[in-house]
């Protein structure tokens, strides 16, 4: 990610929240949290070559971990710190056997993990069951409690900034170079001394930790969690965001999340207009996911950000 791109994103996202109407701040918070999760998905798919259709399960684990700790009297800051750790630990336990799989087998296995998790949460009385976990307090540090959406917008921004910084450092590190080599040829990378299995498990845990951290903020922001808050469609959204923005890039997940979240908001507004059937929002969402993926695969196979960079480079060359 180039320096001017980083500066532009930082400036734009820092200045934007106070300028937004109150009703749009919730969209900004959810968009930023989605971008945080998608940064991990881009690492997982773009560099490690692993396809996960269950990333929302780690989002749920982080959210429930933070929510349960806060409900039982733990300081909210402790819950937020524990959320990514618990999600990463769960990823290590699950990833050790799952990462032996490749391609669509791994994708279906992660999807099965999410389905099992949702079933367990719906039946677990200690997690609120199907009714959900209620009474999660607002996020507070040292007696200062966040009540307004603007405060959560900046908390979500900080979480995304941490995710981008970590991702950028990982990509430029020796482990990142090893992951890229494994993505090109796993056999050649292993023959060169790259611990492919260890690196892939590490990035799987890292992507889960980023999702868990975003889930912790989500729990304190809403104050309520239910299994229905983390559907399978949410995991598919993260994959679509990563593909649309550009796999294997830092800015791509942010751009992809912005495009998809804003598009979903537009479709929900359209689907809830008078005269529209009750199923219109969900049908429109599925149709748009399919359409966006088809368009990207056909015309922008590398995603929006890499395609924009190529176009800018060609423009500079012509000039």
């Amino acid at each position: 990610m180039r320096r001017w791109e980083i500066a532009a994103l930082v400036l734009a996202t820092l200045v934007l929240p106070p300028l937004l109407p109150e009703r749009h701040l919730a969209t900004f918070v959810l968009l930023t949290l989605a971008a945080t999760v998608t940064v991990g998905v881009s690492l997982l798919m773009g560099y490690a070559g692993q396809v996960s259709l269950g990333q929302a399960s780690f989002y749920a684990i982080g959210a429930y971990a933070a929510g349960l700790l806060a409900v039982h009297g733990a300081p909210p800051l402790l819950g937020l710190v524990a959320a990514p750790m618990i999600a990463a630990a769960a990823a290590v336990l699950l990833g050790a056997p799952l990462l032996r799989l490749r391609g669509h087998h791994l994708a279906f296995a992660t999807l099965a993990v999410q389905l099992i998790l949702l079933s367990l949460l719906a039946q677990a009385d200690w997690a609120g069951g199907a009714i959900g976990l209620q009474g999660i307090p607002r996020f507070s540090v040292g007696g200062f409690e966040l009540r307004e959406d603007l405060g959560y917008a900046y908390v979500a921004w900080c979480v995304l900034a941490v995710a981008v910084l970590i991702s950028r450092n990982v990509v430029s590190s020796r482990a990142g170079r090893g992951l890229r080599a494994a993505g090109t040829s796993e056999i050649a990378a292993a023959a060169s001394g790259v611990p492919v299995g260890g690196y892939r498990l590490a990035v799987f845990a890292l992507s889960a930790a980023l999702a868990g951290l975003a889930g912790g903020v989500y729990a304190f922001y809403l104050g309520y969690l239910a299994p229905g808050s983390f559907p399978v469609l949410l995991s598919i959204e993260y994959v679509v965001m990563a593909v649309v923005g550009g796999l294997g890039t830092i800015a791509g997940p942010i751009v992809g999340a912005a495009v998809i979240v804003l598009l979903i908001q537009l479709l929900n507004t359209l689907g809830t207009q008078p005269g529209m059937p009750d199923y219109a929002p969900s049908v429109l969402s599925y149709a748009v996911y399919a359409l966006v993926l088809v368009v990207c695969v056909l015309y922008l196979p590398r995603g929006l950000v890499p395609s924009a960079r190529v176009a800018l480079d060609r423009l500079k060359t012509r000039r």
Side-chain angles (χ1 to χ4, degrees), residues 111-205:
L111 178 61
V113 166
Q114 182 172 349
L115 293 174
I116 293 171
L117 176 65
L118 293 178
S119 178
L120 292 176
L121 289 175
Q123 299 177 22
D125 294 335
W126 51 269
I131 298 175
L133 183 64
Q134 305 177 38
I136 301 173
R138 287 286 190 171
F139 184 74
S140 61
V141 179
F144 176 75
E145 186 178 83
L146 287 181
R147 293 184 176 273
E148 302 296 331
D149 284 0
L150 182 61
Y152 283 96
Y154 280 109
V155 170
W157 185 93
C158 292
V159 166
L160 177 58
V162 169
V164 170
L165 183 62
I166 292 174
S167 178
R168 189 166 182 266
N169 288 337
V170 168
V171 168
S172 60
S173 68
R174 180 179 180 181
R177 293 190 293 272
L179 283 172
R180 288 195 294 272
T184 303
S185 175
E186 183 176 338
I187 296 175
S192 301
V194 176
V196 177
Y199 280 175
R200 283 185 167 170
L201 182 59
V203 77
F204 189 68

Side-chain angles (χ1 to χ4, degrees), residues 24-37:
H24 291 156
L25 279 174
T27 301
F28 180 88
V29 173
L30 296 177
L31 187 158
T32 310
L33 295 179
T36 302
V37 181

Side-chain angles (χ1 to χ4, degrees), residues 51 98 100-112:
V51 181
L98 289 184
R100 298 174 184 271
L101 303 174
R102 295 289 184 271
H104 64 279
H105 296 95
L106 177 61
F108 289 147
T110 54
L111 178 61

